[in-house]
Amino acid sequence: MDGLRVVPTRRHGRERLYVCLPDGANVAWYDREAARVNLLGDDRREEVLRALAPFLTGPVTVGPPPVPTPAELARLALHPDDDLAPNRPGEALLVALEREPGPAHRLRPDPRRRALAAEQATGEALDRLDGAGWHTLHSLPLPGGDRVHHLLIGPGGLFALHVLPARRHRVRVADPLVTLGRGAPLPLLRRVRADADRASYALTAQVRPVLVLVEPARVSLTGPPRSVRVLTDRELPRLARTGGMLKPADVEALHAVARDRATWARL
């Protein structure tokens, strides 16, 4: 026995298998998506491959880690407080509820909790697209207290998603108005477009607006809204079927810029 241990990890939808010495030091890792075994030293090459043999599927490339791209170097240079990538879906709502949880007993549920559940459901659906070459950032703060609920970046371009909790409600969309159940119509599509426009300005790239309706009972549109896609949470995988807009290097570069808090503070 060579004493090497294989430790699986998963972060942002990407799976890696680290090969470690008994003291916990890493000597290599296997990136399933890239089909590559990255060796930190060539002296343990055969031992590493023996340890990983039960986990390897198909041919793999074996060698030293690739040289970081400019986008990866920019990401590594970010201070942890300025990196928005670790934001959880609904991060701003989670923080607000921790600071002011509201009264323990109330006649109606706190609307912030409904909004949080909707953003979390949407975020989970978007995070599942990571393996297809997409990146998602959650709860991006905008000056003035607004935020982009989710930003999706991938081969099909960039999308700013605004989430509306609509569980068991009928939703009527008549651009720019959106009516939820028996509530008053609100010009929500104006805000959805405005958030996407601000994101486009910050990233100097086209960002397309999307309104996501979470668990609606029924959706009716009087006509196609101008420049806004209206999807239910179950229809989100459609976004991953688009392609031909951005190359992988462009996706990584835009993701590196978008995750920097300073990008949004300049608006």
Side-chain angles (χ1 to χ4, degrees):
M1 296 294 290
D2 51 36
L4 297 181
R5 297 184 297 115
V6 177
V7 180
T9 64
R10 190 173 185 86
R11 181 172 174 78
H12 300 305
R14 195 179 187 96
E15 184 178 11
R16 283 183 175 180
L17 298 175
Y18 284 90
V19 182
C20 307
L21 294 171
D23 63 2
N26 294 327
V27 295
W29 71 87
Y30 170 40
D31 188 330
R32 286 186 186 273
E33 183 178 327
R36 181 182 179 88
V37 176
N38 297 282
L39 300 171
L40 297 181
D42 201 53
D43 55 326
R44 291 184 176 269
R45 179 189 181 98
E46 297 305 321
E47 297 173 69
V48 166
L49 292 178
R50 283 201 301 272
L52 286 173
F55 307 97
L56 300 179
T57 55
V60 296
T61 302
V62 182
V67 177
T69 65
E72 290 170 331
L73 291 174
R75 181 182 72 240
L76 294 172
L78 275 181
H79 188 280
D81 290 342
D82 295 327
D83 189 357
L84 299 173
N87 277 10
R88 300 162 291 180
E91 182 76 29
L93 290 169
L94 284 164
V95 172
L97 285 166
E98 289 172 1
R99 291 176 178 172
E100 297 181 19
H105 303 286
R106 54 190 302 167
L107 295 177
R108 295 183 178 180
D110 191 329
R112 295 177 300 173
R113 296 193 180 279
R114 290 198 301 269
L116 174 60
E119 289 190 40
Q120 288 175 330
T122 302
E124 290 173 4
L126 294 173
D127 285 341
R128 287 194 288 269
L129 304 181
D130 278 8
W134 294 80
H135 294 296
T136 307
L137 296 169
H138 308 290
S139 203
L140 300 177
L142 300 174
D146 292 332
R147 61 195 174 89
V148 174
H149 292 176
H150 307 280
L151 181 70
L152 182 64
I153 308 171
L158 297 91
F159 301 91
L161 291 84
H162 184 94
V163 178
L164 179 65
R167 183 176 174 81
R168 299 179 181 175
H169 285 89
R170 177 181 177 183
V171 181
R172 287 163 290 178
V173 180
D175 194 2
L177 302 176
V178 177
T179 306
L180 184 64
R182 298 181 180 178
L186 299 174
L188 183 59
L189 295 190
R190 289 178 184 166
R191 177 182 174 183
V192 177
R193 280 190 284 260
D195 288 348
D197 287 344
R198 296 177 76 180
S200 296
Y201 180 82
L203 300 171
T204 62
Q206 182 186 18
V207 179
R208 287 174 280 181
V210 179
L211 175 64
V212 182
L213 307 172
V214 178
E215 297 186 330
R218 181 182 174 187
V219 180
S220 59
L221 286 76
T222 59
R226 178 177 59 84
S227 75
V228 178
R229 294 187 69 170
V230 178
L231 300 174
T232 67
D233 52 313
R234 293 187 177 185
E235 295 171 332
L236 287 173
R238 290 184 185 178
L239 295 176
R241 298 171 193 159
T242 59
M245 296 287 292
L246 297 175
K247 298 178 181 178
D250 296 328
V251 172
E252 295 300 326
L254 285 165
H255 182 243
V257 173
R259 66 189 295 172
D260 186 350
R261 186 180 300 275
T263 297
W264 307 97
R266 291 193 293 264
L267 289 174

